[in-house]
Structure formats: C-alpha cells, structure tokens
C-alpha cells in the first residue's frame, strides 16, 4: 500500500483528529451479539474485535458487499476491492504483487480479508487502526483505485441513484465517505473462518490429521520455532502475535543497508512531506513499519500475518517473493537474510527435508473446509515446485557454513509431544518421522 504525499497528509489529519468526519452512523439494529461462529473463532474475541456502533447488521453487510464488488469506486471503473481480494481465492488475488488501475503494480502482496477483523492493525505496515480506516485508503491510492479525494468519490456515488436509495435505507441519510467505509467494513467483519481440519483435531478428533501433519504441529511448536511469532492456542487462535518483525525478506534483493541508512537520515530531518514521499517510493516502502513509527528498530519490519488459510493465500510475504510454503520454510531454515535490523529471534533451524514436508503438511490443515477443493489444488501445485526452491540453502540451515547460533531444541516425540504443552490440551502421540 503506497499513498501520494497529499493523500497521506490528508488522511493523517482525518484519521488522527477526526476533523471532517460525518456524524457517527446510526446504530440501527446494531448489537454486539456474535453471528454463528465456527469452532476456531472465539465469540469473546469477536466481541472484543468489533467496535461499539460498528456491528455488522444485515443491512450494512449487504450494502458493504455491493460496494466491495463495485468497480465504479475506481477512477476508470475497472477495479473494485474484490479485484485484489477475490472471495473464491480466499480473498486474495493469487499474485505476488497486486495490480490496480491502468494495470499498475502496487508495492505489496494482497493480504486476505478472511479474519482481518481480528487484526490489531491493518496493512502490512499497520498504518490503519480499523477496518473502516483501511477501507478508505485503497480507493484513494493512485495505483490501486486511483480516486483523487473523498469528495470526488462521493460525488460519483451520489450520482448513482441506487446508492442514494441504499444509503438512505441503511444509514438514513445521503451517501458519505465514512458510511461507505462502515458498510465495507461490516461486510469484511463477516468474513471469518475457523472450521479447519486442525480445529477438528484440536477439539478431540485425533484422526482429523495424518501422522505427518501431527508431526508438523509438533515441529511448529518445537524445533521449527514457528510458535515464537505464530503461536496458536485458545487465546490466540489466529496464529499471529500481531507484532512487526524484520525477518530479512526486504534484504534479499537489494542493498538494504544503504536503503535503510538513507531512510533513517530523511526521518531524522523531520521533514514529514519527504517521509510521505518515501512511503510512495517502491524502493523505500521496503522499510515497512519504520515509515509509520519513525523508530529505527522498526526498519524492515512487517506485520506477522495470521496463518489461518495460509495454504490458499500465497504467494507469501509482504512482497509476494516466496511462491510456496516450502520456500517460506527454506527462508526460515537458514535464519532469514542477514541485515543490521534482523529480528533477534531469527536463527538457523536445521530442519531436514522430511521435517519441512511435515511442517508444510500441517500448515495446509489450517484451511477452512469450505476451501477444501482449492486447498488440495494449491498443495498439489506447490508440491510440484518442490524441487525448484531459490531460498534453499542446506549448508547454512544445517550449520555447515555461517554462524547463526545454536539450534532450537529438537523435540523428542517419544517422550513428550510439545503440542501437549499448549492451551489446546492433549494431543494424541505421534510417531517419529524416521519411524513412519
């Protein structure tokens, strides 16, 4: 997500001060009663994640879906929210980098909308606090939907008679930009998922996962150290710590040290306009969270994504540079890409090929069953690329070169399954990979 300087400045004022906002939308039929939720979605978490007055009433959701699919919200009527978040593709577009109006590439991979209501912040760099804030920005991004300002957006919407009627019915007033965002966010708040095979397993069906998948779950919580940032438990069922980390992805294709030095120098000048322009520049957008917080320890940091439905929401990472989950595991197995701002938790993992296979198998169990067909297709497609892995470097991963610290403890599955230590409770003992 990149924004022009004027847009960034204007939105900063709008989002931070509330100036220019319309009156809060009427609470019309709103209540905090959760809809019917699948096993992996907590009703308590749902209540905590939905701001008071922003509950997804049926009327708001219906209008929000209509707007989500509406290409006339873009400057040339070619791009809708759905263009980069196709429901049939798990609300992603399946591309490394998304395309906006006039086939322009944007700087980031399109994250899924599924379970986005539970994110503490929105966008890869966390620059939006709410779904309502998030819904506005792509419409005004010159590379995404290309509208110049909110007034132009609403002039266009008010010129469409059906929307004048719809907004009057839902909000009791003529269309405005805040209500438009409320409606889109209401639709997005209904896009939750948590009915995966993993949920069946963790709630008592020991046969829901294969031996390989169970071993992957054990490795996830042990040797592979995935749970350091992607812990999955009753308190955090989304497999994300909701924090920002530099794992080296931004450093693997450019002189990141020089880039970071230039970015830090500009920020230290305090020139807000120039800082906004950094966010616009595709090269400097790789500085990630730093461009939001201006804190040097955030250089190259991006949000830990949720892992629910990860099997169907590739390519992976903020820049879509890792095509398969085998590539992702290769990246972590060698400790990421070294740079001065690399997260201190990154280190080589020493995973063997069978262990990587088991981890990938486990990750595909996190997909909601309504996407079973797509999940199987994606697994087959990724497995076909298994022997084409640009990030693979077994010499580093196994400690034959480099100095990336000691390995994490290797779980002894014959003694204790590390999965038993989590909030999810007992897990049926699994066989060791070598014994299968």
């Amino acid at each position: 997500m990149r924004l022009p300087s004027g847009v960034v400045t204007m939105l900063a004022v709008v989002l931070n001060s509330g100036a220019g906002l319309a009156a809060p939308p009427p609470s019309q039929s709103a209540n905090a009663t959760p809809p019917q939720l699948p096993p992996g979605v907590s009703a308590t978490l749902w209540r905590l994640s939905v701001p008071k007055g922003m509950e997804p009433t049926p009327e708001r959701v219906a209008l929000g879906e209509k707007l989500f699919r509406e290409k006339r919200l873009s400057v040339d009527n070619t791009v809708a929210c759905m263009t980069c978040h196709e429901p049939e593709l798990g609300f992603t577009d399946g591309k490394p980098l998304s395309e906006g109006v006039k086939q322009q590439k944007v700087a980031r991979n399109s994250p899924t909308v599924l379970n986005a209501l539970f994110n503490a912040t929105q966008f890869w760099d966390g620059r939006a606090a709410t779904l309502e804030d998030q819904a506005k920005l792509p419409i005004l991004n010159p590379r995404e939907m290309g509208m110049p300002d909110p007034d132009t957006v609403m002039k266009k919407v008010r010129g469409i008679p059906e929307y004048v009627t719809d907004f009057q019915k839902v909000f009791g007033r003529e269309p405005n930009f805040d209500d438009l965002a409320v409606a889109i966010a209401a639709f997005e708040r209904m896009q939750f998922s948590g009915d995966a095979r993993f949920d069946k397993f963790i709630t008592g069906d020991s046969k829901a996962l294969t031996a390989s998948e169970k071993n992957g779950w054990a490795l996830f919580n042990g040797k592979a150290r995935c749970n350091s940032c992607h812990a999955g438990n009753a308190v955090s069922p989304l497999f994300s710590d909701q924090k920002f980390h530099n794992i080296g992805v931004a450093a693997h294709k450019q002189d990141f040290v020089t880039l970071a030095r230039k970015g830090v120098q500009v920020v230290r000048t305090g020139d807000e306009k120039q800082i906004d322009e950094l966010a616009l520049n595709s090269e400097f957008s790789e500085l990630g969270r730093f461009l939001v917080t201006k804190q040097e320890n955030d250089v190259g940091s991006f949000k830990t994504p949720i892992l629910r439905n990860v099997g169907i929401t590739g390519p992976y990472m903020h820049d879509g540079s890792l095509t398969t989950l085998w590539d992702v595991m290769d990246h972590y197995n060698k400790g990421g890409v070294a740079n001065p701002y690399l997260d201190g938790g990154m280190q080589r993992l020493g995973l063997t090929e069978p262990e990587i296979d088991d981890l990938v198998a486990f990750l595909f169990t996190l997909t909601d069953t309504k996407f079973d067909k797509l999940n199987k297709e994606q697994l087959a497609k990724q497995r076909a690329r298994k022997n084409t892995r640009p990030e693979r470097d077994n010499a580093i991963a196994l400690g034959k070169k480099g100095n990336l610290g000691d390995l994490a403890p290797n779980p002894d599955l014959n003694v204790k399954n590390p999965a038993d230590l989590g909030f999810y409770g007992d897990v049926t003992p699994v066989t060791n990979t070598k014994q299968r």
Side-chain angles (χ1 to χ4, degrees):
M1 164 59 68
R2 297 185 302 164
L3 298 168
S5 175
V7 170
V8 170
T9 303
M10 179 273 295
L11 284 173
V13 171
V14 170
L15 299 178
N16 294 330
S17 71
L21 290 176
S27 58
Q28 179 195 357
S29 303
N31 60 69
T33 302
Q36 186 173 357
L37 300 170
V41 179
S42 156
T44 300
L45 183 60
W46 191 91
R47 288 191 183 92
L48 291 172
S49 303
V50 179
K52 187 176 181 181
M54 296 299 178
E55 294 83 357
T57 64
E59 296 82 4
R60 290 178 187 170
V61 173
L63 176 58
E65 180 173 9
K66 191 172 179 178
L67 292 165
F68 190 84
R69 298 173 179 273
E70 180 57 82
K71 291 184 178 180
R72 287 176 289 184
L73 292 182
S74 65
V75 69
D76 59 2
N77 303 330
T78 61
V79 174
C81 304
M82 193 180 72
T83 303
C84 300
H85 303 283
E86 297 181 40
E88 294 76 16
L89 295 179
F91 286 89
T92 66
D93 58 10
K95 300 174 182 175
L97 298 176
S98 297
E99 290 182 5
V101 291
K102 302 174 184 176
Q103 298 181 318
Q104 297 178 90
K105 291 280 188 185
V106 302
R108 303 279 164 78
N109 173 262
S110 176
T112 180
V113 173
L114 290 170
N115 293 324
L117 79 157
F118 300 119
N119 286 333
T121 58
Q122 305 296 332
F123 295 112
W124 279 101
D125 58 13
R127 68 175 55 244
T130 67
L131 285 174
E132 283 76 13
D133 294 343
Q134 188 280 332
K136 295 175 180 177
L137 302 188
I139 298 172
L140 304 176
N141 185 300
R143 292 196 174 195
E144 295 191 45
M145 298 171 78
M147 296 297 279
D149 54 62
D151 288 343
T152 305
V153 176
M154 297 321 299
K155 183 178 179 181
K156 194 171 182 182
V157 171
R158 291 180 194 123
I160 303 172
E162 65 184 272
Y163 282 123
V164 174
T165 302
D166 290 342
F167 274 78
Q168 188 65 40
K169 178 182 175 184
V170 176
F171 296 104
R173 55 196 180 199
E174 69 173 6
N176 68 67
F177 201 44
D178 290 326
D179 287 348
L180 179 144
V182 168
I184 293 176
F187 169 68
E188 293 178 334
R189 286 200 173 91
M190 293 300 289
Q191 308 314 315
F192 43 75
S193 75
D195 188 16
R197 281 198 293 122
F198 171 77
D199 297 298
K200 292 181 173 60
F201 167 70
I202 217 68
T203 52
D205 182 0
S206 63
K207 296 180 181 179
L209 301 190
T210 67
S212 171
E213 292 161 348
K214 291 175 185 175
N215 198 51
W217 170 231
L219 289 162
F220 185 93
N221 290 289
K223 181 179 178 180
R225 306 177 67 247
C226 308
N227 66 347
S228 296
C229 298
H230 292 283
N233 52 54
V235 176
S236 178
L238 301 173
F239 296 86
S240 169
D241 62 3
Q242 304 276 352
K243 297 179 180 176
F244 300 82
H245 303 277
N246 178 327
I247 60 170
V249 171
H252 71 179
K253 57 186 178 185
Q254 60 194 314
D255 183 351
F256 187 72
V257 175
T258 300
L259 181 71
R261 187 180 301 127
K262 290 179 180 176
V264 171
Q265 287 174 347
V266 172
V267 167
R268 283 175 178 167
T269 67
D271 185 338
E272 292 292 333
K273 181 180 178 183
Q274 200 171 0
I275 295 168
D276 287 350
E277 289 172 350
L278 285 181
L280 261 181
N281 185 298
S282 61
E283 182 185 24
F284 284 103
S285 72
E286 293 297 298
L287 299 181
R289 182 68 173 165
F290 167 74
L291 294 176
V292 177
T293 67
K294 317 300 187 294
Q295 299 297 313
E296 192 167 344
N297 59 0
D298 282 327
V299 169
S301 294
F302 292 88
K303 187 169 65 179
T304 305
I306 60 178
L307 294 187
R308 291 274 178 184
N309 304 299
V310 68
I312 61 169
T313 51
Y316 305 104
M317 305 301 174
H318 72 277
D319 59 358
S321 59
L322 303 183
T323 305
T324 72
L325 288 173
W326 273 273
D327 296 329
V328 173
M329 294 314 307
D330 286 339
H331 175 83
Y332 283 113
N333 203 20
K334 63 182 181 181
V337 178
N339 70 86
Y341 305 95
L342 187 69
D343 189 286
M346 295 293 291
Q347 64 179 64
R348 69 184 178 91
L349 301 175
L351 297 169
T352 65
E353 283 301 300
E355 288 172 336
I356 290 176
D357 289 346
D358 289 347
L359 278 159
V360 173
F362 164 69
L363 291 172
F364 271 92
T365 72
L366 299 177
T367 303
D368 193 291
T369 53
K370 63 187 173 187
F371 295 109
D372 271 350
K373 183 173 182 291
L374 179 60
N375 200 46
K376 290 176 182 174
E377 292 172 353
Q378 289 300 315
L379 176 57
K381 189 178 294 185
Q382 292 194 21
R383 186 178 282 138
R385 294 177 58 100
K386 189 181 160 188
N387 294 322
T388 305
R389 292 157 58 178
E391 296 298 318
R392 188 179 190 179
D393 194 331
N394 285 340
I396 292 179
L398 300 177
K400 296 178 180 176
K401 70 176 183 181
N403 180 24
L404 290 173
D406 296 331
L407 298 179
N410 195 344
D412 184 348
L413 302 181
N414 293 316
V415 176
K416 182 71 175 176
N417 185 339
D420 290 346
L421 302 177
F423 282 94
Y424 279 125
D426 293 335
V427 176
T428 301
V430 299
T431 56
N432 189 293
T433 300
K434 295 179 181 178
Q435 297 173 331
R436 287 184 285 117

